[in-house]
Amino acid sequence: MAVLTASRSARCMFGGLITRTQMCLHAGKGRLNTLCHRLFSCVVLCCIAIHAVASPAFGDNPFLKFTIEELMDVRVVNVSSVSRNKQKLNEVASAIFVITQDDIRRSGVTSIPEALRMAPGVQVGRISTDKWAVSIRGFNGFSSSKVQVLVDGRSDYSPLFAGTLWAQQDTLMEDIERIEVIRGPAASVWGTNAVNGVINIITKSASNTQGTFLTAGGGSFERGFMSARHGGKFNEKTPFRIFAKGFSRDSTRSLSGADNHEQWHSARAGFRVDHNRGSDQFTLQGELFYNALGQTIDKNTLDLPTITGEAQRNNQKGGYLRFRWDRTFSDKSSLWLQAAYDRNHYQLLPISKYEAESVDVDFQHNFPLLDKHNFTWGAHYRANRNKVVDSEAITFDPRQATNHFFSGFVRSDIVLIPDRLLFAIGTRVDHNEFSGLEVQPNARLTWIPDNKNSVWMAVSRAIRTPSRSEHDAHINLGLKTGLPGNSSFPISSLSFIDSNGKFGSEKLLAYELGYRHQFSSQASIDVAGFVNDYSDLRDFSFGALSFSTGLPQHLIVPVTVNNKASALTYGFEVSTDWNPLDRLRFQGSYSYLKMDVSSNEAFKTFDPLTGGADKVSPQHQLSVRSSYDISNRLQLNLWLRYTSRVEFYNIPDYVTMDAKLAFKPVRNIELFLVGQNLFSENHREYVSDIIPSTAARLPRGIYVGAQWRF
């Protein structure tokens, strides 16, 4: 009887919420704020009421039934990003956080960057509808150059401009198995550019996505979305899946309230085929995408004749194909070979237009050596070819180039005391055409005094290699009042950045210490601290000044790139997990970051990526998530976030909350209502450092949708 009562109450409540949401979507701007506050209050009050009569169990969510020990086994036993081999969490000598599919589903996020906000130590700032700044342990920016991003082990780091284009990194969110986030260097395993961390997005196997999945919905900022996936089998050993998705997202508003014309329309389709034959497993996977994007360039930031200040529509398109072969010899011995081809076309007129393609070949073999050693070695080759179309803002010399990268690595995992003391040492040797040979060693030690505690420490060296834009580009900064970084200078200037081909690698020597403790079967804590010592960081200096020959006369200011900056950063991250009840779970994290940057004082206010990096990344970040199974059919998930101010862009600190209410009227159908950025009508998070688009306010968003699995 109680279950029936709860079910009727839930249907009544959810119907009411949808009605209120529709009212919000059709209400005027002023009413939206009031209605959304009422909506949130309604959610909380209704859930409290239903809680009194609801059934205590939530049958479809496995994670809320597990103890912390079981969660650690389920969620972390397959962690592979640290050593490329499976490890248990308490044996990993690295700061790692795993975002599971259940975390993604409960949060209601619709993109990978938004999901990364769950990980401690990760700075995520949304710039506009389609642009994010994502970094780990500082140096944040649209072109965050010190984080390696992988999708199923395939690198999505762009060596053309050093960074990741997050608008292109998408897939069916329901097909993501987990996202492993390593905070700290992982260059000895993943190579150059894995300086501050690695984000490894791992998708589900084809056998785990059988059947048909449909989802659709829409709302205010998420204007509309639709996805379909079907998984089947060619035979018992060859499962496959195909999928297609599309969405439309609204534009943001500028600081003055004007439309930024950033509507983002996206379409994507892909497939995956797995085949098992004895000890061998083969995977073939591919995707195609098309993005239609818009933006408005701020003429006050970049004053060039082709910059009109009017909105421009652009597009991006591309895809990839990945093949992987795994052979397992025993529990401790295996090898794999992976090859991938990636191609994309990028157009962001009037700033940039290019075509890029890359080929990756990666090989690894691990085997036991004597009784207490596990030895891993491998090799990697990558070729990047890109062709850039000159614009008034940026030109490349040469316009077209092909660059080759080679690397090899070795690693030994040594059991000093069985189940108590583990030691790992390894190095990677990379060769690239910009800075030559690079060596990146590391050493890691894990001490496990008992089954409730583990302590780890690590010393690592990592390298960030120059990108083509830092080596071959000529960037026109346009006509400015004063000098770059000094607008009070009484003479207007024409400035440009000349890469001069002399920029070398940036270097990091990192020291890390971590501790994990399990208080009980319901609670655990993970703490990690670090000190990062950077040298040879990218900096700017003035070249020889001169005056233009025509009228009106301007000062010609060349800006050159060098490796004269350095930095010392330190901080710590804490993450906790607490299950006070079988149907209630809290996950929290706090991150502290302090940066001291030594660079050319003249460019401190001009350069957010190095000189002003200490004022770009928030010093404090807090995240608290709650997952509550109100009944067998009803879930409520809340996510509170605090981010301290970003001084460089004069962005104040903010507190925001997302909420998701999910209801299952029948077994295979789920209805959901999601509210994002609920605490304010809009707020600022970040500003693009290299693309002079107008600054944006991010709106509150509400959307509804449905999922059907059969």
Side-chain angles (χ1 to χ4, degrees):
M1 186 64 186
V3 173
L4 293 175
T5 304
S7 177
R8 284 196 296 269
S9 301
R11 284 195 291 270
C12 178
M13 185 190 75
F14 202 79
L17 290 176
I18 291 175
T19 302
R20 284 172 179 269
T21 303
Q22 291 171 337
M23 292 171 61
C24 283
L25 298 180
H26 292 88
K29 184 178 177 182
R31 293 182 61 200
L32 183 63
N33 190 25
T34 304
L35 286 173
C36 291
H37 280 292
R38 290 176 179 175
L39 171 65
F40 180 70
S41 302
C42 178
V43 169
V44 175
L45 292 174
C46 288
C47 291
I48 292 173
I50 284 179
H51 169 61
V53 295
S55 171
F58 186 78
D60 294 335
N61 175 23
F63 287 97
L64 290 178
K65 289 184 173 181
F66 292 152
T67 64
I68 291 297
E69 297 98 324
E70 291 169 329
L71 281 169
M72 290 173 70
D73 283 341
V74 170
R75 298 173 59 214
V76 185
V77 72
N78 289 326
V79 164
S80 57
S81 296
V82 176
S83 65
R84 291 192 177 200
N85 298 312
K86 294 178 181 178
Q87 288 181 287
K88 292 183 178 180
L89 175 63
N90 63 346
E91 296 179 356
V92 175
S94 180
I96 187 166
F97 187 86
V98 180
I99 301 169
T100 67
Q101 170 56 220
D102 191 65
D103 293 330
I104 294 171
R105 182 182 63 82
R106 284 177 172 270
S107 67
V109 296
T110 55
S111 65
I112 292 171
E114 295 300 315
L116 293 172
R117 295 182 194 272
M118 300 181 209
V122 178
Q123 291 85 42
V124 179
R126 192 162 190 168
I127 297 168
S128 61
T129 299
D130 63 289
K131 300 181 186 66
W132 285 266
V134 179
S135 69
I136 299 174
R137 293 179 174 174
F139 295 98
N140 200 13
F142 176 74
S143 57
S144 295
S145 59
K146 298 175 180 59
V147 176
Q148 179 68 267
V149 177
L150 308 163
V151 180
D152 291 319
R154 178 181 59 86
S155 175
D156 275 313
Y157 183 95
S158 169
L160 180 62
F161 75 96
T164 299
L165 293 171
W166 288 103
Q168 299 182 5
Q169 308 314 318
D170 192 19
T171 189
L172 194 64
M173 296 296 287
E174 288 77 8
D175 285 354
I176 296 175
E177 181 177 290
R178 64 187 187 276
I179 303 174
E180 298 180 356
V181 180
I182 300 175
R183 311 186 303 276
S188 65
V189 174
W190 295 107
T192 55
N193 309 320
V195 178
N196 281 11
V198 171
I199 297 168
N200 193 6
I201 302 153
I202 300 168
T203 61
K204 296 177 181 177
S205 65
S207 61
N208 287 330
T209 51
Q210 294 294 287
T212 302
F213 168 79
L214 301 172
T215 185
S220 54
F221 188 67
E222 297 285 343
R223 304 297 293 179
F225 57 88
M226 182 172 62
S227 302
R229 180 237 291 149
H230 177 70
K233 293 180 180 179
F234 294 116
N235 55 53
E236 287 302 315
K237 295 182 179 180
T238 313
F240 72 92
R241 71 164 176 263
I242 55 175
F243 82 91
K245 67 177 290 187
F247 63 78
S248 177
R249 289 175 186 154
D250 203 0
S251 175
T252 61
R253 295 279 171 176
S254 69
L255 303 187
S256 64
D259 190 343
N260 279 332
H261 300 285
E262 295 171 337
Q263 292 87 355
W264 179 12
H265 312 297
S266 178
R268 181 175 292 262
F271 74 94
R272 174 168 175 155
V273 180
D274 294 330
H275 176 68
N276 297 301
R277 177 176 294 180
S279 59
D280 295 323
Q281 179 173 323
F282 303 91
T283 296
L284 183 63
Q285 187 174 14
E287 290 188 12
L288 295 171
F289 73 91
Y290 181 87
N291 289 329
L293 308 161
Q295 70 169 357
T296 305
I297 299 296
D298 186 357
K299 193 172 177 61
N300 294 323
T301 305
L302 182 60
D303 188 3
L304 294 173
T306 55
I307 306 297
T308 63
E310 297 178 353
Q312 297 270 357
R313 295 299 297 176
N314 290 286
N315 65 76
Q316 303 171 10
K317 55 188 175 184
Y320 74 88
L321 194 63
R322 180 180 77 98
F323 169 77
R324 175 163 169 146
W325 167 47
D326 288 82
R327 168 164 287 188
T328 303
F329 301 105
S330 68
D331 292 341
K332 296 183 177 179
S333 179
S334 64
L335 65 81
W336 56 262
L337 173 68
Q338 178 167 288
Y341 172 74
D342 207 317
R343 181 184 178 90
N344 70 82
H345 165 90
Y346 183 87
Q347 177 176 301
L348 190 70
L349 297 175
I351 304 298
S352 177
K353 181 178 180 180
Y354 68 82
E355 292 182 355
E357 56 185 342
S358 65
V359 174
D360 261 297
V361 181
D362 208 354
F363 171 78
Q364 176 180 303
H365 179 209
N366 69 286
F367 56 90
L369 187 66
L370 306 177
D371 292 335
K372 297 182 178 179
H373 292 249
N374 193 56
F375 189 79
T376 304
W377 70 280
H380 175 248
Y381 167 74
R382 181 182 177 106
N384 294 308
R385 177 183 174 277
N386 42 67
K387 181 179 180 181
V388 183
V389 177
D390 288 347
S391 70
E392 191 177 12
I394 183 168
T395 59
F396 278 73
D397 184 19
R399 294 189 181 94
Q400 180 173 321
T402 301
N403 304 116
H404 302 274
F405 303 81
F406 304 89
S407 64
F409 70 92
V410 294
R411 174 188 169 101
S412 181
D413 293 276
I414 306 167
V415 180
L416 300 178
I417 301 175
D419 299 324
R420 289 289 180 265
L421 196 60
L422 311 173
F423 180 64
I425 188 168
T427 190
R428 183 163 180 136
V429 179
D430 291 77
H431 182 272
N432 69 88
E433 297 180 12
F434 300 121
S435 62
L437 198 65
E438 304 287 1
V439 181
Q440 302 175 99
N442 78 356
R444 300 178 184 273
L445 182 70
T446 304
W447 176 42
I448 309 171
D450 54 51
N451 58 5
K452 289 189 175 181
N453 298 280
S454 66
V455 181
W456 62 269
M457 60 189 71
V459 180
S460 315
R461 183 177 190 267
I463 298 295
R464 203 275 288 181
T465 56
S467 65
R468 262 206 81 199
S469 61
E470 293 165 319
H471 199 266
D472 299 335
H474 177 92
I475 302 171
N476 190 350
L477 302 177
L479 182 65
K480 291 182 177 297
T481 301
L483 300 174
N486 185 3
S487 58
S488 62
F489 192 73
I491 301 175
S492 61
S493 65
L494 284 169
S495 308
F496 59 88
I497 298 176
D498 191 356
S499 300
N500 68 29
K502 297 179 180 179
F503 179 62
S505 292
E506 297 181 326
K507 302 175 179 63
L508 167 65
L509 189 58
Y511 308 89
E512 298 177 273
L513 178 65
Y515 173 62
R516 299 183 180 98
H517 177 70
Q518 187 173 318
F519 295 102
S520 68
S521 59
Q522 285 82 35
S524 67
I525 189 170
D526 188 329
V527 184
F530 66 93
V531 176
N532 287 348
D533 186 1
Y534 299 88
S535 59
D536 295 337
L537 292 178
R538 199 267 296 134
D539 200 3
F540 293 125
S541 60
F542 289 118
L545 306 181
S546 61
F547 282 96
S548 62
T549 55
L551 292 175
Q553 204 167 37
H554 307 293
L555 189 64
I556 305 298
V557 182
V559 177
T560 59
V561 181
N562 61 61
N563 287 89
K564 294 181 179 179
S566 61
L568 184 71
T569 71
Y570 53 93
F572 65 92
E573 300 111 12
V574 181
S575 61
T576 61
D577 203 328
W578 182 35
N579 280 53
L581 301 171
D582 288 343
R583 51 185 171 162
L584 180 61
R585 182 183 183 192
F586 292 101
Q587 295 166 280
S589 69
Y590 169 76
S591 307
Y592 173 78
L593 174 66
K594 183 75 172 71
M595 304 180 68
D596 293 318
V597 179
S598 175
S599 65
N600 191 333
E601 290 292 332
F603 292 89
K604 284 279 188 181
T605 60
F606 169 76
D607 177 20
L609 296 179
T610 303
D614 53 341
K615 294 180 173 59
V616 162
S617 297
Q619 195 169 68
H620 305 277
Q621 290 189 121
L622 178 69
S623 168
V624 179
R625 289 179 286 145
S626 69
S627 306
Y628 184 34
D629 293 346
I630 300 169
S631 73
N632 287 335
R633 300 179 184 275
L634 194 62
Q635 290 181 340
L636 176 64
N637 305 286
L638 303 175
W639 185 7
L640 180 75
R641 299 190 299 274
Y642 167 77
T643 302
S644 61
R645 71 189 300 253
V646 178
E647 186 177 349
F648 190 90
Y649 298 118
N650 195 29
I651 298 175
D653 59 346
Y654 64 88
V655 180
T656 189
M657 174 175 276
D658 294 351
K660 179 177 181 180
L661 186 68
F663 174 58
K664 286 192 171 183
V666 295
R667 183 173 178 270
N668 295 332
I669 294 179
E670 179 178 299
L671 308 176
F672 51 86
L673 166 66
V674 177
Q676 297 173 317
N677 301 319
L678 291 173
F679 280 176
S680 62
E681 187 175 351
N682 55 62
H683 71 281
R684 297 176 64 198
E685 290 192 0
Y686 214 77
V687 175
S688 176
D689 44 87
I690 61 172
I691 298 175
S693 52
T694 51
R697 294 182 183 275
L698 304 177
R700 175 189 293 123
I702 295 177
Y703 69 88
V704 297
Q707 292 183 351
W708 185 21
R709 300 173 190 268
F710 57 96

